[in-house]
Amino acid sequence: MEAFFKVALALLTLHEDLILQCDGMESISEYFKTAIPESSLDHLPYIVTKVLKAPPEFGLKLKALEGEYSALHDMKLASFSSVKPANLEEELQIVKKQNSQLIEQVAVCRGTLCRVEAQLKAQEERETRKDAIIEM
C-alpha cells in the first residue's frame, strides 16, 4: 500500500502544475484518465527515482494519516448513529405509507385495465356478430 501512495505522490508531483490549471473535479478526472497514462512511460525513470528516494518517514506519516483517517471515519459514523432516530423512524413511516399508497394505485389501475380489456373484448364480439349479420 505504501508503494502505491509513493507512486501516486510522484505522479501528482510530476503533473502538479497542469493539475492546478484544471478548473474543477471533472477536468482533473479527465486529466487523470488521459494525460497521466500517456506521459507516465516517458517519465518512468523520474517516478521510480522519486519512489525509491522517498524518505523513510513517509511510511510513518502514512500510518499516522491512516490512523487519523480511521479516527475521523469513526467519529463520522458515530455522528450518523446519533442522528435523531425519531426522524429516521418518521421517514421510514412516511416511505411505508407512500409505498402502500402506490400499491393501492397499482391495484386500482389493474382493475381498470381488466374492465377496459373486458369492454374491448365485448366490443370486438359485437362487431364480429354485426359483421356476420351483414355478410348474410
Side-chain angles (χ1 to χ4, degrees), residues 59-112:
L60 297 174
K61 287 181 183 178
L62 191 59
K63 287 289 183 194
L65 288 173
E66 182 181 0
E68 189 177 325
Y69 171 80
S70 293
L72 288 171
H73 184 54
D74 291 345
M75 285 175 28
K76 187 175 182 180
L77 287 177
S79 71
F80 278 131
S81 65
S82 67
V83 170
K84 304 167 189 157
N87 288 344
L88 293 176
E89 288 296 324
E90 289 172 14
E91 286 183 40
L92 178 62
Q93 293 305 319
I94 290 169
V95 169
K96 283 183 178 181
K97 184 177 179 181
Q98 290 172 342
N99 191 25
S100 64
Q101 289 172 345
L102 289 173
I103 289 170
E104 288 173 16
Q105 289 176 356
V106 167
V108 169
C109 289
R110 284 185 179 157
T112 303

Side-chain angles (χ1 to χ4, degrees), residues 19-86:
I19 292 171
L20 291 173
Q21 291 176 5
C22 294
D23 60 355
M25 286 304 294
E26 275 189 37
S27 59
I28 291 173
S29 177
E30 193 60 36
Y31 183 81
F32 285 163
K33 289 179 196 173
T34 57
I36 289 181
E38 291 173 4
S39 69
S40 293
L41 289 178
D42 299 336
H43 300 289
L44 193 57
Y46 169 82
I47 295 169
V48 171
T49 303
K50 197 83 161 148
V51 168
L52 294 176
K53 290 186 177 181
E57 62 270 1
F58 180 81
L60 297 174
K61 287 181 183 178
L62 191 59
K63 287 289 183 194
L65 288 173
E66 182 181 0
E68 189 177 325
Y69 171 80
S70 293
L72 288 171
H73 184 54
D74 291 345
M75 285 175 28
K76 187 175 182 180
L77 287 177
S79 71
F80 278 131
S81 65
S82 67
V83 170
K84 304 167 189 157

